[in-house]
Structures are given as C-alpha cells and as structure tokens.
Amino acid sequence: QVQLVESGGGLVQPGGSLRLSCVVSGSRFSISINDMGWYRQAPGKQRELVAVKTRYGLTNYADAVKGRFTISRDNAKNTVYLQMNSLKPEDTAVYYCNSNGLLGNNWGQGTQVTVSS
C-alpha cells in the first residue's frame, strides 16, 4: 500500500516560516513518475490546491501563496517539500500531500498549520 506521511506542521506566529515534508513509501518506483502536490483545507471551506510540481518539473501555485511558498521534490528520497514563508493567519489549515499518476491517486492524513499570535 502506498502511504504518504506529512510532517512539519505546528503553531507559528504571523510572518514566520514552516517547512512541510511528505514522504512516500510502499512503492518500488520513485515519485518521479507522479505529479506531487500540496492542498489545504480551512474550517468551513473546501479543499484547495496550494502548489503542484508535475512529473515534468512544471510548477503551479495558488495566487494566495505565490511568492511566499515554494514546492520542491527530491525524487531519490521520495519526498516532497513545501517551504512556507511570511505566513499569514489565513494560511491556517490542514495541509495535505497528494500523489497522482501511475502510482494512483493517494493522499496523506494531513498536518495542521496554525498561524496565530
């Protein structure tokens, strides 16, 4: 079974930074064959795309995080990262890692990010 495990969430003050990690395990193949993305869901809102890095290396960001967040991937380590800088209270949400492609469509359990003073 393919598993995605997120880490790095927590409580941070406005203007602070966090780095989320997502490790994919359970497959003999590298995540290089998949699109990797980060999504988030705030209370009372639908899940939304934050950032995606495709199997071809193309990157897309939600307008709300553009210029502040950076998605990267280390295919050899089967790990995708989300560097979050200049965090705002509206960034508060559960952040989910997603892998989509030949390995199937898989989600992590999420990690809570709370931006508050």
Side-chain angles (χ1 to χ4, degrees), residues 2-4 21 29-32 34 36 45 59 77 85 100 103 115:
V2 176
Q3 295 183 355
L4 284 69
S21 298
F29 302 108
S30 168
I31 63 170
S32 63
N34 277 22
M36 300 298 301
K45 296 184 177 181
T59 305
K77 297 181 179 179
N85 298 326
N100 189 31
L103 295 177
V115 185

Side-chain angles (χ1 to χ4, degrees), residues 25-94:
S25 62
S27 175
R28 69 184 69 185
F29 302 108
S30 168
I31 63 170
S32 63
I33 63 175
N34 277 22
D35 298 336
M36 300 298 301
W38 287 95
Y39 294 72
R40 68 185 182 186
Q41 186 168 20
K45 296 184 177 181
Q46 293 185 329
R47 186 175 299 183
E48 64 178 359
L49 174 69
V50 176
V52 61
K53 197 170 188 67
T54 73
R55 66 200 75 178
Y56 306 110
L58 301 178
T59 305
N60 288 313
Y61 296 94
D63 289 340
V65 307
K66 195 171 299 182
R68 299 187 296 119
F69 291 11
T70 303
I71 186 172
S72 61
R73 58 194 295 171
D74 187 332
N75 293 331
K77 297 181 179 179
N78 279 340
T79 302
V80 60
Y81 306 94
L82 184 67
Q83 179 66 47
M84 304 184 294
N85 298 326
S86 301
L87 284 162
K88 305 174 181 179
E90 49 263 44
D91 294 319
T92 297
V94 177

